[in-house]
Amino acid sequence: MRETMMRAVKIERFGDPSGLVVTDVADPTPGPGEVVIATEAIGVGGVDAVIRRGTLAGLGFETGMVPGSEVAGAVTAVGAGVDTAWVGRRVWAFTGMGGGYAERAVARLDDITELPDGLTAVDAVTVGSSATVAHFALVHAHFAAGESVLVRGAAGSIGISVVELAARGGASAVAVTTSSPERGERLRELGATHVLDRSGEGDAAAPESYDVIIDIVAGPATAEFVDRLAANGRMVVVGVVAGMPSADVAGRLVASFQQSRSFATFSLDTVPGPARNGVRAELLARVATGELHAVVHDRLPMDQAVEAHRQMDLGAVFGRIVLVA
């Protein structure tokens, strides 16, 4: 039987975006407990850029891989043990740490969520992962109504979702760090109460300390933001866009021992599948009704993945870039 082919984007070499190439690859076949999805939309996430740069090469990522972890589209085939009634349904799907930048992608049945009526595939991949991360990051930080929140690196899709969820969750203040006043104004429209520059300055009325800090950036300045925690404050790192946290984080925590501050990382991998999928379904429904927002920076054809990553590297993205197949 002749092998059928599809278009996909591969990482030909780690480094700048030009290492991404569009090529033909074999059509995927679903294994037991899996489905194949004809991708209508593909989310371009910060972790995709980190993998493409080679930052995580030591964790087993290799050249030749197809990046992308978040797609939406219609199920076209199912593997053994999966109800054929799934064929034709439109779903959001997590494809693992790769495989998403393709015309068709494979996902486990446990990693798909049916789209509610009225939600586009583009909006689904804009919030499906990011809003779920934001929700559970706030849970991990034990956020409660009346507490102050700082979102470090708020202009991306995760940061925007944290802003909206914290504001709707009754935060006393929602401060954000971002790169420009224009982005700050857009974040105010989504629920931010104070806009700071990347160093955490620029608003004299902002709180001096915060009960919760959600950090998508990390990098060398991480420890400086530990100093922004209030007594019993909790900082949760959910991304490493600027690199790994600085080595002196522990020293800063110990130096402020009497403040009982806490520092943690968070990954959705630690949330049981049923809980994760249940929350995602609720969040997608809230987007479909307009209660939460899917902020799309740009829609680009899949063969313009290089341009999508170029914009990511420039820090020019507000919300999420979506590739359309």
Side-chain angles (χ1 to χ4, degrees):
M1 183 176 179
R2 185 176 179 180
E3 188 175 52
T4 57
M5 307 295 284
M6 66 174 180
R7 301 290 280 170
V9 177
K10 283 187 175 182
I11 300 177
E12 187 173 67
R13 67 179 184 279
F14 290 129
D16 66 69
S18 66
L20 295 170
V21 297
V22 181
T23 186
D24 290 326
V25 301
D27 257 327
T29 301
E34 294 180 338
V35 303
V36 174
I37 298 147
T39 56
E40 298 172 25
I42 304 157
V44 179
V47 69
D48 301 345
V50 172
I51 291 171
R52 183 260 304 158
R53 293 174 194 136
T55 306
L56 303 180
L59 299 180
F61 296 100
E62 299 179 351
T63 55
M65 70 171 286
V66 175
S69 62
E70 185 171 9
V71 304
V75 175
T76 59
V78 300
V82 180
D83 190 338
T84 55
W86 277 102
V87 175
R89 294 187 189 178
R90 297 179 66 251
V91 300
W92 173 96
F94 173 66
T95 62
M97 295 309 293
Y101 287 20
E103 291 177 319
R104 287 169 288 282
V106 172
R108 299 185 309 161
L109 181 63
D110 291 343
D111 289 329
I112 68 174
T113 301
E114 189 166 8
L115 300 188
D117 292 340
L119 186 69
T120 68
V122 168
D123 284 352
V125 297
T126 300
V127 298
S129 176
S130 58
T132 310
V133 170
H135 169 89
F136 283 107
L138 287 168
V139 171
H140 200 63
H142 300 285
F143 164 69
E147 293 189 316
S148 57
V149 177
L150 171 63
V151 187
R152 185 172 176 232
S157 55
I158 294 176
I160 288 169
S161 291
V162 175
V163 168
E164 287 209 296
L165 291 173
R168 284 155 180 72
S172 60
V174 181
V176 296
T177 70
T178 189
S179 60
S180 71
E182 293 75 20
R183 288 183 168 200
E185 286 308 306
R186 295 184 69 182
L187 289 163
R188 284 186 186 276
E189 294 172 0
L190 294 164
T193 57
H194 302 281
V195 176
L196 310 174
D197 61 23
R198 286 177 170 172
S199 68
E201 305 296 337
D203 186 343
E208 293 184 1
S209 61
Y210 298 88
D211 299 302
V212 170
I213 298 177
I214 304 297
D215 188 353
I216 301 106
V217 180
T222 307
E224 297 173 18
F225 283 87
V226 169
D227 292 339
R228 300 292 186 95
L229 288 170
N232 297 306
R234 294 86 65 196
M235 182 174 185
V236 176
V237 174
V238 299
V240 290
V241 175
M244 294 301 174
S246 48
D248 57 339
V249 166
R252 296 291 183 99
L253 288 168
V254 174
S256 60
F257 193 88
Q258 291 178 312
Q259 296 294 307
S260 299
R261 293 165 168 165
S262 300
F263 178 90
T265 58
F266 173 73
S267 167
L268 270 182
D269 291 342
T270 60
V271 179
R276 183 176 63 235
N277 295 339
V279 165
R280 178 177 292 113
E282 293 175 6
L283 292 168
L284 291 176
R286 291 172 71 181
V287 175
T289 61
E291 182 186 352
L292 298 175
H293 298 89
V295 179
V296 180
H297 179 82
D298 201 359
R299 299 168 177 81
L300 296 171
M302 189 178 68
D303 62 7
Q304 290 188 31
V306 168
E307 172 60 18
H309 277 247
R310 186 189 70 81
Q311 292 187 40
M312 293 283 286
D313 282 2
L314 289 172
V317 178
F318 185 87
R320 171 154 287 192
I321 293 180
V322 177
L323 300 177
V324 291

